[in-house]
Amino acid sequence: QVQLQESGPGLVKPSETLSLTCAVSGDSIYSSNWWSWVRQPAGKGLEWIGEIYQSGSPYYNPSLKSRVTISVEKSKNQFSLKLNSTTAADTAVYYCVRRVGAGPPRGVFDMWSQGTMVTVSS
Amino acid sequence: EIEMTQSPATLSVSPGERATLSCRASQSVANSLAWYQQRPGQPPRLLIFGASTRAPGIPARFSGGGSGTEFTLTISSLQSEDFALYFCHQYNNWPPLHTFGQGTKLQIK
């Protein structure tokens, strides 16, 4: 059974860096799937942040590209998110998500973490 | 960026009745369209992929249709657990640039 569990601070000060890690179990980071981050401000819709395939070059949402880094931690079967220069607008529930890379349902987000609330406030 | 627009924002339907939710893309996404259900306090759950294929374990009362720029999600005979938030998602871009609709809240009438 595939599970994704994120970890990281729930409170970040404005202008500082938001850092989250997602531990994957039941699948390998080096499988044929993509590993993504999606966020959701309270009461609002979903925003794709970016994703990475194995240890290749990540892809980012252009609206966040200048502030985001997604990377794979090879030896720990986990991947991470760093978002710098944070503001209150970055306050949201952050999900780590598997996106299917091969076979049906190729292309979609099929496994989601429970989500972690991150608040940007002094 | 492909913009996804869902309508209506809120839909009030009685249990046992049919609900039809719409999603429109600002340009063609072929059939690279998925639907997700989100219950309060829960992550989204994949319902439909490829515009019309139910994900494993999804009841037959959920059906998807459309292609190109116009899509629908139909839930026949609404059950209490179906009242939730629904999002559409297009995954037709390369390089990847995923976009979601703003959501339709399905509530009990």
Side-chain angles (χ1 to χ4, degrees):
Chain A
Q1 181 181 359
V2 177
Q3 292 189 327
L4 294 86
Q5 178 65 58
E6 66 282 272
S7 59
L11 180 63
V12 177
K13 289 183 167 56
S15 81
E16 296 190 346
T17 296
L18 181 160
S19 294
L20 295 173
T21 297
C22 183
V24 179
S25 59
D27 192 3
S28 169
I29 285 286
Y30 292 97
S31 69
S32 57
N33 298 310
W34 293 75
W35 304 99
S36 309
W37 291 94
V38 175
R39 70 181 183 178
Q40 184 174 33
K44 296 189 178 180
L46 300 165
E47 181 179 33
W48 176 73
I49 298 170
E51 62 189 22
I52 192 166
Y53 182 79
Q54 296 183 356
S55 56
S57 296
Y59 293 91
Y60 301 127
N61 190 321
S63 67
L64 298 169
K65 186 175 183 177
S66 64
R67 301 193 291 128
V68 175
T69 302
I70 294 174
S71 60
V72 164
E73 301 186 29
K74 300 177 183 180
S75 62
K76 296 182 180 180
N77 209 44
Q78 59 189 31
F79 62 109
S80 65
L81 168 71
K82 294 187 187 301
L83 180 66
N84 60 33
S85 304
T86 54
T87 70
D90 296 312
T91 295
V93 174
Y94 285 76
Y95 297 100
C96 54
V97 194
R98 184 178 78 172
R99 188 167 74 86
V100 180
R106 181 184 178 192
V108 301
F109 301 112
D110 73 330
M111 298 300 300
W112 296 68
S113 66
Q114 277 299 117
T116 189
M117 179 69 201
V118 179
T119 301
V120 179
S121 174
S122 55
Chain B
E1 177 177 321
I2 300 175
E3 293 188 5
M4 307 301 291
T5 304
Q6 290 185 242
S7 61
T10 303
L11 182 61
S12 298
V13 184
S14 300
E17 294 190 342
R18 174 190 298 256
T20 300
L21 290 64
S22 296
C23 176
R24 173 177 292 178
S26 61
Q27 62 189 73
S28 177
V29 299
N31 68 340
S32 298
L33 191 286
W35 289 94
Y36 302 83
Q37 176 195 68
Q38 186 178 32
R39 295 174 176 144
Q42 294 295 314
R45 175 176 71 141
L46 177 67
L47 296 177
I48 300 286
F49 63 94
S52 61
T53 303
R54 279 189 304 277
I58 300 303
R61 65 180 181 271
F62 291 89
S63 62
S67 65
T69 62
E70 301 283 345
F71 301 90
T72 57
L73 173 69
T74 299
I75 313 169
S76 64
S77 189
L78 280 161
Q79 307 296 303
S80 58
E81 62 266 29
D82 300 335
F83 292 96
L85 192 55
Y86 292 84
F87 293 99
C88 59
H89 156 225
Q90 70 79 20
Y91 50 99
N92 195 52
N93 291 101
W94 184 262
L97 177 50
H98 300 277
T99 50
F100 296 89
Q102 79 279 19
T104 290
K105 181 181 180 181
L106 181 57
Q107 64 182 25
I108 299 175
K109 185 175 183 180

